[in-house]
Amino acid sequence: MANVVIVGTQWGDEGKGKVVDLLTDRADCVVRFQGGNNAGHTLVVQGQKYIFHLIPSGILHPGKVCMIGNGVVIDPAVLIHEIDKLNEAGNPVTPEKLVVSRYAHVIMPYHRAMDAARENRKGKTRIGTTGRGIGPCYEDKVSRNGIRIHDLFDPAVFRSKLDQVLEEKNFLLEHYFKEAPLEAGAIADEYLAYGERLAPFAGNVSERLQEADRQGKSLLFEGAQGTHLDIDHGTYPYVTSSNTVAGNACCGAGIGPVRIQKVIGIAKAYTTRVGGGPFPSEILDETGEYIRSVGGEFGATTGRPRRCGWLDTVVVKTSIRLNGLAGLVITKLDVLTGVPRLKIATGYQCGSMKLDSVPPELDALEACRPNYEELPGWEENITKVRNFSDLPENAKRYLLTIEELAGIPLYIISVGPGRDENIVLRNPFEDR
Ligand code: IMP
């Protein structure tokens, strides 16, 4: 038995949801530890497409417990909607299957309003947030003005916290952002009703994890977004507002670092990014368009077109360092079928300097030009391939080049969106 963390190695949307769903077979509990409904994890199971924003991607497996840790910011309306949709689709979400941390912070209407107002005011320098109120909610957490899930269960406490915080928010909304103020009574009615719906699911995730771990169960921690969107280590300020790196699985779920045995990074066979910020290997010609359309590279949360680029091993190697990755899962390899020449970024030329990791300063990164290794592509459909040896020679060469440049082994290659469309080389729960 092992406890494994899954993180994205790029700027999110690497296909983590599918990999978590696949690995849930070997896990007993699946845990989200950061982010909120800015994430959109897409799964295709028996031809049916599911998109989860908050509920861990393991929810479709009977007998597994899904948990939402204290480090996640929760929009209760979105969580309830996901529970209802799953119930309607014949996958009942019971308190035995889903545990929501009492200590997770709640995304409030003023968080969404501030997110939108701030982006509008920034104009050209906007971050391109998902507009879900994620950043403002984390701000309130850190400034100790947050409302947590357990506050929704006590009307008096909730109302007094809300009144206090809303005074400041309304002042900013009205006088700084020139937006309409929000009304406390309506918010209280709405959110206390959410509290009633969510109360049966609320629990102490940290204690539940300790109990499961002691019983020898396997825990799978599901990261959201990607390493380069990390608030500390990403391309700041074009980042999200949480730590997306594996170390935060401990803080965001309430488990000690020595209880985690392995961290696996997910990398798309190319790179994508949504929103603003530097992207050295971005492809701005028709090949980028081709990858976007074949790969369906439109945000699962906002529907925005994703920017597409070549696989960048500088980005991936920086993630290996920041997360202590044991191995990589390569997703969406099938999307590259038919691209005649493939490029992999192997290093950056930054003025007179050669760099092999992503520089933290925005200006420096913006000035970087990737050096590429070029490889021939393949034409064959690979979606039915289940053994590495059956791949076209050029696809093998592409993967072996990635493995060599990354310096860590490949664990799984995803060759299509379906649950079974994978080449499994190693299982992170088995090789210790
Ligand atoms: P926020 O997380 O909504 O504050 O957005 C901050 C930045 O992170 C924006 O560039 C978003 O596009 C990006 N972002 C947030 N969540 C995701 C995700 O799940 N996938 C990809 N990009 C994301």
Side-chain angles (χ1 to χ4, degrees), residues 105-178:
H105 280 251
V106 178
I107 299 180
M108 302 294 294
Y110 45 82
H111 294 139
R112 286 191 299 272
M114 302 282 279
D115 201 358
R118 202 174 281 151
E119 284 281 270
N120 286 341
R121 202 177 162 90
K122 278 194 165 156
K124 274 209 304 231
T125 60
R126 68 166 60 93
I127 305 295
T129 73
T130 57
R132 303 298 190 258
I134 306 293
C137 183
Y138 277 117
E139 282 170 39
D140 276 357
K141 170 178 177 171
V142 174
S143 68
R144 294 159 295 194
N145 284 311
I147 290 181
R148 307 202 290 185
I149 289 288
H150 64 87
D151 294 321
L152 300 178
F153 309 146
D154 185 329
V157 169
F158 178 78
R159 188 58 199 253
S160 110
K161 288 192 176 180
L162 177 65
D163 285 345
Q164 199 179 355
V165 75
L166 200 57
E167 194 184 331
E168 184 190 283
K169 303 297 176 197
N170 274 343
F171 181 83
L172 281 171
L173 282 172
E174 271 191 281
H175 301 292
Y176 184 69
F177 291 115
K178 312 288 179 222

Side-chain angles (χ1 to χ4, degrees), residues 11-13 38-40 115 127-132 134-135 225 229 239-241 274-276 304:
W11 282 280
D13 308 316
N38 47 351
D115 201 358
I127 305 295
T129 73
T130 57
R132 303 298 190 258
I134 306 293
Q225 290 83 48
L229 288 173
V239 291
T240 191
S241 296
V274 210
R304 288 181 291 177

Side-chain angles (χ1 to χ4, degrees), residues 295-370:
E297 295 297 352
F298 297 88
T301 300
T302 58
R304 288 181 291 177
R306 297 177 182 146
R307 298 155 68 193
C308 296
W310 299 113
L311 182 81
D312 183 340
T313 57
V314 182
V315 162
V316 174
K317 279 198 287 190
T318 306
S319 294
I320 294 173
R321 164 166 56 82
L322 292 167
N323 296 291
L325 299 183
L328 290 174
V329 173
I330 305 294
T331 59
K332 295 187 113 168
L333 186 67
D334 52 304
V335 173
L336 295 183
T337 299
V339 179
R341 302 272 322 154
L342 299 167
K343 291 188 191 182
I344 299 178
T346 55
Y348 294 158
Q349 192 68 44
C350 196
S352 58
M353 288 198 311
K354 278 194 177 359
L355 298 180
D356 60 6
S357 80
V358 179
E361 302 88 352
L362 203 59
D363 290 355
L365 181 56
E366 268 163 355
C368 285
R369 298 289 164 265

Side-chain angles (χ1 to χ4, degrees), residues 85-415:
K85 281 272 161 211
L86 279 160
N87 286 341
E88 280 164 27
N91 294 295
V93 182
T94 60
E96 286 69 44
K97 272 199 78 103
L98 178 69
V99 184
V100 179
S101 171
R102 294 172 61 78
Y103 311 114
H105 280 251
V106 178
I107 299 180
M108 302 294 294
Y110 45 82
H111 294 139
R112 286 191 299 272
M114 302 282 279
D115 201 358
R118 202 174 281 151
E119 284 281 270
N120 286 341
R121 202 177 162 90
K122 278 194 165 156
K124 274 209 304 231
T125 60
R126 68 166 60 93
I127 305 295
T129 73
T130 57
R132 303 298 190 258
I134 306 293
C137 183
Y138 277 117
E139 282 170 39
D140 276 357
K141 170 178 177 171
V142 174
S143 68
R144 294 159 295 194
N145 284 311
I147 290 181
R148 307 202 290 185
I149 289 288
H150 64 87
D151 294 321
L152 300 178
F153 309 146
D154 185 329
V157 169
F158 178 78
R159 188 58 199 253
S160 110
K161 288 192 176 180
L162 177 65
D163 285 345
Q164 199 179 355
V165 75
L166 200 57
E167 194 184 331
E168 184 190 283
K169 303 297 176 197
N170 274 343
F171 181 83
L172 281 171
L173 282 172
E174 271 191 281
H175 301 292
Y176 184 69
F177 291 115
K178 312 288 179 222
E179 299 284 343
L182 300 170
E183 209 264 301
I187 298 178
D189 290 347
E190 184 184 344
Y191 277 68
L192 291 170
Y194 294 148
E196 279 178 29
R197 275 293 311 274
L198 292 179
F201 298 97
N204 187 321
V205 166
S206 171
E207 283 179 8
R208 293 287 297 265
L209 289 175
Q210 185 185 42
E211 199 181 297
D213 191 37
R214 277 192 182 144
Q215 289 169 4
K217 296 195 166 151
S218 290
L219 315 177
L220 179 59
F221 295 88
E222 175 180 12
Q225 290 83 48
T227 298
H228 295 274
L229 288 173
D230 183 279
I231 184 76
D232 284 290
H233 302 287
T235 45
Y236 191 89
Y238 294 97
V239 291
T240 191
S241 296
S242 62
N243 284 110
T244 58
V245 292
N248 194 29
C250 297
C251 303
I255 187 166
V258 294
R259 303 312 309 152
I260 288 171
Q261 282 81 37
K262 191 162 285 175
V263 185
I264 300 294
I266 317 297
K268 218 174 324 208
Y270 46 95
T271 312
T272 59
R273 172 160 207 174
V274 210
F279 184 176
S281 68
E282 185 166 11
I283 312 172
L284 295 165
D285 60 18
E286 63 280 4
T287 305
E289 291 286 336
Y290 174 84
I291 292 175
R292 184 176 308 119
S293 92
V294 177
E297 295 297 352
F298 297 88
T301 300
T302 58
R304 288 181 291 177
R306 297 177 182 146
R307 298 155 68 193
C308 296
W310 299 113
L311 182 81
D312 183 340
T313 57
V314 182
V315 162
V316 174
K317 279 198 287 190
T318 306
S319 294
I320 294 173
R321 164 166 56 82
L322 292 167
N323 296 291
L325 299 183
L328 290 174
V329 173
I330 305 294
T331 59
K332 295 187 113 168
L333 186 67
D334 52 304
V335 173
L336 295 183
T337 299
V339 179
R341 302 272 322 154
L342 299 167
K343 291 188 191 182
I344 299 178
T346 55
Y348 294 158
Q349 192 68 44
C350 196
S352 58
M353 288 198 311
K354 278 194 177 359
L355 298 180
D356 60 6
S357 80
V358 179
E361 302 88 352
L362 203 59
D363 290 355
L365 181 56
E366 268 163 355
C368 285
R369 298 289 164 265
N371 298 319
Y372 288 109
E373 177 160 347
E374 280 202 37
L375 296 162
W378 59 91
E379 288 290 334
E380 301 86 333
N381 182 333
I382 59 170
T383 54
K384 299 217 160 34
V385 176
R386 298 292 173 266
N387 293 307
F388 187 85
S389 54
D390 296 333
L391 281 169
E393 284 312 310
N394 287 346
K396 283 187 210 166
R397 192 168 150 196
Y398 185 70
L399 291 170
L400 292 173
T401 305
I402 297 171
E403 190 171 58
E404 194 185 325
L405 288 166
I408 57 171
L410 303 185
Y411 272 60
I412 300 169
I413 318 299
S414 165
V415 290

